[in-house]
Amino acid sequence: MEIETAPLSWAQKMHWLLFHSTPPGRRWRNNVLTWWPIPEETGTAESVEALHRLMRDFKGLRTRYPIDASSIPVQQVLADFHPPVALCDVAGAVDERAAAEAFVGRALQQDFDLAAGPPISAVLVTSGAQARWMALIIHHISIDGAARRTLASSFERHLAAIRHGGPATAPHSGSPLNDAVLQGSAAGRQLSDAAIRRWAGVAAAMPPTTLPVPVLSADGPLPTEAILTTDRAAVCERVARRSGVPVSTAFLGAYSAVLGRFLRMDRTPINVYSSNRFDADHAESVGCLYQTLPVLVGNDGKDSIRALMKQAQTALLDTYRFGCYDYDDATDTRVREQFRLGRNVSVMPSFNFPPAGSAAADRGSAPAGWSVTPIEHDLGDPFEFVVQIMGPDVLCAVRFDAALIPPATATGLISAVLRVLDIADEHPDLPVGLLLDAAGTPVLDRGADWTRRDGSWIHLDGIAEAARSHPAVTGATVATGSDGSLTLRVEADASLTPYALRCHLTGRLAELPGTVVPETFVLNGAPDDGREPGDGVFGSVREVAFELALRHVRPGAAWNAAQPYLLQGGRTADLSRVLAELATAGLGGLTYVDLMDFRPLADLARDARVVLPADMPAPLGDSRRLPVPAPAELI
């Protein structure tokens, strides 16, 4: 079989890394669903043949993602591939669409094996001999939402040709695989370096917290999606035209203002998605091209709506200039900066404006009002606003973690965004603050356990909770100094060091977005002396095994048991090699989370069977085998 091989593209690296950070049975299940109605009097064989022709059209649909002989992930395009097709006959169902949606929903929960074959499967919904809908389930590493329109038009074209006896069309020539080669060039390296420098500048200017809300449920994350379709496209276009900005900017500006009012923040950090389809060669590409760049939008209630939109436009332009970068380097930079700054710079509210109409075929008839449902789609950010113009309508989708933001609050915030644009259309001279007042924008109530600093809010009880979640900690309190500095006082086992505690708190920042790492630690009555624990101190057999693998990446390096992998000098590009070394040694339980996270590896030990070299110190502590979760049942 002919196979075309190339490195992963920058966008694909993110999904490959996230997939391998989770164990089999609980994989990063970031599956994209698209489905289309099939014309009447179309049979099963015709529909499947159209699918096969569609697969030949796009390399991205025929790509698998193994590792090569050097343990480096690659993408391999198969010359031909027919995805498995599950048949769902809804004949006799009271509600055929509901029955089909239930069947497809179960199929959407499958875990793909990225290395074994292209991560794509299909469901053909029939009613007796009549084909009704074709659904494709594709892992996000192979596709993004902007490509769904291209798939729909290609499938429709092939189906029409088959029904009328026409020949198959020539395969599509463009492919993200070609981008991966270009991204590895000197020009690609310069582009990535410029983007990462821009990212680091935005991160340094971020407020102490990016989404200062309390955790409402310990059962999180609870991925949830709310969808609303409204006929406000003309209103939004008028506001944008009057302000001299694109429609996407009008939504971003109103969104940032509403979030700023709700959170009572002076500037709002927002992770903006860029589909990177800025030229004709990429307009109809099918593949994963989306990347993100954080932007900051100020919240001055005295600004005019035009000034707000211009500020949002400046931020949005950055995503076109700097929204494409090497994910390995970006991850390295983000982890190091988060540890250095002691605050979250990785997860925040996000904004996505896909090309017009790319999901129109997926929705069917729109329900009245908000539709709120739990989803299988894994969340990259805890609050994501996706907005799309489809003719006269605006499709609003908000994906959020209900453990942080209740559904009523999530839908209320996006409804406020729409009301702000409505009022701005009628009263274009109102300052932003009055627009937010008139729109009834909700404001988050905070108790005495919150303190304000540098235009944002810090949850003191959240910091203490994060400290108490360390197994060695028995008690923790946080005090605020007259200058706003924070002191964490901790009672704990004598083996806990301030540095290890700092690692632990940094690792919890994304889960507790209202927290920071305090400037000062007082551990068991003794202030932090700033020293780090000595090299060569190992807390478990797993740490020794990790050191053995790490030596193949950085010969002669000594592993500090309390220090995170990246901060010690490792890189995400090396992690796959480290995993391969561990697997060879028979220690196969580690994932990327073990290597990148800040938790002590001893907490994650599952296997104590390893032969220690004579020059390694003996392992310390408990190395009992912990139970491995059973894989989820696959469809």
Side-chain angles (χ1 to χ4, degrees), residues 319-397:
T319 68
Y320 300 141
R321 296 175 59 198
F322 302 114
C324 194
Y325 46 80
D326 187 306
Y327 189 77
D328 281 334
D329 289 345
T331 301
D332 295 348
T333 303
R334 183 172 66 248
V335 173
R336 296 177 204 280
E337 285 298 282
Q338 187 151 298
F339 189 86
R340 182 182 70 85
L341 297 170
R343 50 186 172 83
N344 169 49
V345 293
S346 57
V347 298
M348 62 200 74
S350 59
F351 174 76
N352 192 346
F353 189 85
S358 67
D362 296 341
R363 298 297 178 183
S365 57
W370 283 100
S371 171
V372 181
T373 55
I375 56 173
E376 287 295 327
H377 189 291
D378 293 307
L379 297 175
D381 291 298
F383 191 81
E384 178 189 357
F385 177 34
V386 183
V387 62
Q388 198 169 31
I389 300 293
M390 299 189 301
D393 294 332
V394 177
L395 172 66
C396 296

Side-chain angles (χ1 to χ4, degrees), residues 297-319:
V297 182
N299 300 313
D300 188 342
K302 298 178 181 178
D303 278 346
S304 66
I305 188 69
R306 182 180 179 85
L308 170 67
M309 297 304 177
K310 288 298 184 183
Q311 186 186 171
Q313 182 182 33
T314 300
L316 197 60
L317 286 174
D318 264 4
T319 68

Side-chain angles (χ1 to χ4, degrees), residues 150-514:
T150 302
L151 291 180
S153 61
S154 178
F155 181 79
E156 181 180 353
R157 184 178 68 254
H158 286 306
L159 194 58
I162 291 169
R163 296 181 69 199
H164 296 92
T169 57
H172 191 272
S173 59
S175 168
L177 182 144
N178 302 327
D179 291 347
V181 177
L182 294 174
Q183 289 168 359
S185 66
R189 173 54 48 200
Q190 292 177 354
L191 176 67
S192 176
D193 289 347
I196 292 172
R197 285 194 300 270
R198 178 57 183 164
W199 182 93
V202 174
M206 283 184 188
T209 53
T210 54
L211 186 63
V213 296
V215 175
L216 304 176
S217 171
D219 297 330
L222 303 174
T224 308
E225 182 178 60
I227 295 174
L228 174 70
T229 301
T230 177
D231 58 354
R232 285 184 169 96
V235 169
C236 301
E237 289 164 355
R238 283 196 300 269
V239 173
R241 187 167 55 248
R242 189 181 294 124
S243 299
V245 299
V247 177
S248 56
T249 299
F251 282 106
L252 176 60
Y255 178 54
S256 65
V258 167
L259 283 180
R261 170 64 65 87
F262 171 68
L263 298 169
R264 292 187 286 161
M265 298 174 67
D266 290 349
R267 56 197 187 282
T268 308
I270 297 176
N271 219 5
V272 176
Y273 282 72
S274 171
S275 66
N276 295 320
R277 288 175 171 80
F278 307 135
D279 56 61
D281 291 339
H282 290 94
E284 299 298 320
S285 289
V286 171
C288 179
L289 297 180
Y290 270 106
Q291 290 189 271
T292 64
L293 186 79
V295 301
L296 285 172
V297 182
N299 300 313
D300 188 342
K302 298 178 181 178
D303 278 346
S304 66
I305 188 69
R306 182 180 179 85
L308 170 67
M309 297 304 177
K310 288 298 184 183
Q311 186 186 171
Q313 182 182 33
T314 300
L316 197 60
L317 286 174
D318 264 4
T319 68
Y320 300 141
R321 296 175 59 198
F322 302 114
C324 194
Y325 46 80
D326 187 306
Y327 189 77
D328 281 334
D329 289 345
T331 301
D332 295 348
T333 303
R334 183 172 66 248
V335 173
R336 296 177 204 280
E337 285 298 282
Q338 187 151 298
F339 189 86
R340 182 182 70 85
L341 297 170
R343 50 186 172 83
N344 169 49
V345 293
S346 57
V347 298
M348 62 200 74
S350 59
F351 174 76
N352 192 346
F353 189 85
S358 67
D362 296 341
R363 298 297 178 183
S365 57
W370 283 100
S371 171
V372 181
T373 55
I375 56 173
E376 287 295 327
H377 189 291
D378 293 307
L379 297 175
D381 291 298
F383 191 81
E384 178 189 357
F385 177 34
V386 183
V387 62
Q388 198 169 31
I389 300 293
M390 299 189 301
D393 294 332
V394 177
L395 172 66
C396 296
V398 56
R399 297 170 185 150
F400 58 97
D401 182 358
L404 295 175
I405 299 174
T409 300
T411 56
L413 289 171
I414 304 306
S415 295
V417 170
L418 297 173
R419 287 195 299 271
V420 164
L421 293 172
D422 281 343
I423 299 168
D425 180 43
E426 298 177 4
H427 305 282
D429 297 325
L430 278 181
V432 173
L434 293 181
L435 283 174
L436 294 170
D437 291 341
T441 306
V443 177
L444 180 64
D445 290 329
R446 291 190 175 88
D449 55 337
W450 290 84
T451 185
R452 185 168 176 82
R453 187 166 78 181
D454 192 20
S456 187
W457 296 84
I458 298 172
H459 193 203
L460 303 180
D461 283 1
I463 297 173
E465 176 190 343
R468 287 191 293 266
S469 68
H470 191 288
V473 173
T474 57
T477 59
V478 182
T480 306
S482 58
D483 59 351
S485 62
L486 302 177
T487 298
L488 175 62
R489 297 181 180 275
V490 171
E491 297 298 324
D493 186 277
S495 63
L496 181 66
T497 66
Y499 188 73
L501 182 58
R502 186 177 301 277
C503 293
H504 173 78
L505 292 175
T506 308
R508 296 296 308 276
L509 287 174
E511 304 169 55
L512 304 170

